[in-house]
Amino acid sequence: MKVEVYKIDGTKSGEYVELRPDIFEIKPNDHAIYLAVKAYLANQRQGTHKTKTRGEVRGGGRKPWPQKHTGRARAGSIRSPLWVGGGTVFGPVPRDYSLDLPKKVKQLARKSALTYKLKDEQIIVVEDFTFEQPKTKRMVEILRAFNLLNKKVLLLTAKTDLNVYKSGRNIPGLNILEAYKASTYDILNNQMILIQKSAVEILQNTFTE
C-alpha cells in the first residue's frame, strides 16, 4: 500500500512511498509478539545478583559456646542463617537470563507489531532531514508540527546521524534509532513512529530471507 510522505513542518509533500503488504498488512500473531518482547526484556537483565551463603559470610569459624551445659540452644556458628548477620538460604546466584528465538519468529513478531501500528494510524513517514549541528530546538519544532510533544515517539533514521541523535536525546519520550535496529519492543513501546523516507526501504530490507 502507499502512504503519503510528510514534510518536517507537518504538511503533506505530495509524494508517496510503497509499504510492502507482506510486512505491514499481515495477520498479526500475538504469541510471536509475546515471545519477542519476553526475550528482549530477559536479554536486558544482567543476572549479576548474588547473596552469600553461610560458608561465604565472614566470621563464624569458632563454635560460639560449648555444645552442652550452658542452658542455651546448640550452635555451631554465629553465621548460621538463623542469626543476624548470617548467611542466606537459597538466595539468588549469578545466572544467564538470555533467551533466543528462531529468526522467523522474530521477523513475524516485528511484522505483526508494524501491522498493528499502521492499522492504528501510528506510523508517519517524514521526509529526510538532518541538521548542520545539534539543535534540540529544531527537533522540538518538528515534533510540535506533528503534535507529538509529550508523547513517546520512535524516530527511525536511514543511517547513524549524530546531529539528529544529539538534537533529540534530551527530549523526554523521544527515541532515535537506525531503522535496521528497531526491535518488536521498540516498535510497540512508543505511541507514534516517525520513519524518514529513506529509512523505509532499509526497514523493509531487514525482512529479506
Side-chain angles (χ1 to χ4, degrees), residues 56-101:
E56 296 169 322
V57 180
R58 180 178 179 181
R62 177 177 63 85
K63 187 173 176 67
W65 52 74
Q67 181 81 347
K68 296 177 179 292
H69 311 302
T70 63
R72 288 179 289 187
R74 295 169 292 184
S77 170
I78 61 172
R79 294 299 177 240
S80 163
L82 302 176
W83 288 49
V84 174
T88 301
V89 181
F90 304 130
V93 294
R95 55 163 290 191
D96 181 11
Y97 283 95
S98 63
L99 298 175
D100 195 17
L101 294 177

Side-chain angles (χ1 to χ4, degrees), residues 14-32:
E15 296 182 61
Y16 291 84
V17 293
E18 186 76 29
L19 298 183
R20 286 167 46 184
D22 61 322
I23 296 176
F24 290 88
E25 294 181 276
I26 70 167
K27 181 179 180 180
N29 189 309
D30 292 342
H31 188 61

Side-chain angles (χ1 to χ4, degrees), residues 13-207:
S13 68
E15 296 182 61
Y16 291 84
V17 293
E18 186 76 29
L19 298 183
R20 286 167 46 184
D22 61 322
I23 296 176
F24 290 88
E25 294 181 276
I26 70 167
K27 181 179 180 180
N29 189 309
D30 292 342
H31 188 61
I33 291 177
Y34 161 74
L35 292 175
V37 172
K38 178 182 177 182
Y40 176 88
L41 294 176
N43 293 341
Q44 305 307 302
R45 300 185 67 174
Q46 289 185 315
T48 55
H49 40 31
K50 176 72 171 72
T51 57
K52 292 183 178 181
T53 65
R54 63 182 296 164
E56 296 169 322
V57 180
R58 180 178 179 181
R62 177 177 63 85
K63 187 173 176 67
W65 52 74
Q67 181 81 347
K68 296 177 179 292
H69 311 302
T70 63
R72 288 179 289 187
R74 295 169 292 184
S77 170
I78 61 172
R79 294 299 177 240
S80 163
L82 302 176
W83 288 49
V84 174
T88 301
V89 181
F90 304 130
V93 294
R95 55 163 290 191
D96 181 11
Y97 283 95
S98 63
L99 298 175
D100 195 17
L101 294 177
K103 180 180 178 180
K104 289 187 177 181
V105 175
K106 293 179 183 178
Q107 292 197 349
L108 176 59
R110 292 174 65 224
K111 290 178 181 178
S112 300
L114 290 170
T115 296
Y116 274 129
K117 285 296 182 180
L118 185 63
K119 182 179 179 181
D120 295 338
E121 299 181 349
Q122 295 179 353
I123 291 180
I124 297 175
V125 179
V126 63
E127 64 182 357
D128 293 345
F129 63 88
T130 187
F131 307 129
E132 294 182 359
Q133 60 184 8
K135 200 70 176 177
T136 302
K137 183 178 179 181
R138 292 284 306 281
M139 185 65 77
V140 169
E141 290 173 353
I142 294 174
L143 294 178
R144 183 179 288 116
F146 291 98
N147 195 28
L148 295 179
L149 282 178
N150 302 318
K151 291 184 178 180
K152 293 192 71 174
V153 180
L154 175 63
L155 172 61
L156 298 181
T157 60
K159 58 183 180 180
T160 302
D161 190 326
L162 288 179
N163 287 339
V164 170
Y165 172 75
K166 291 180 179 179
S167 297
R169 64 182 175 181
N170 289 331
I171 300 177
L174 176 62
N175 299 294
I176 301 174
L177 281 177
E178 293 88 342
Y180 72 92
K181 291 183 179 179
S183 68
T184 302
Y185 182 84
D186 295 322
I187 295 168
L188 293 176
N189 195 38
N190 290 278
Q191 295 170 281
M192 187 64 72
I193 301 177
L194 284 178
I195 309 178
Q196 288 190 348
K197 181 182 175 182
S198 59
V200 172
E201 182 179 359
I202 293 175
L203 176 63
Q204 295 185 142
N205 286 342
T206 61
F207 293 97

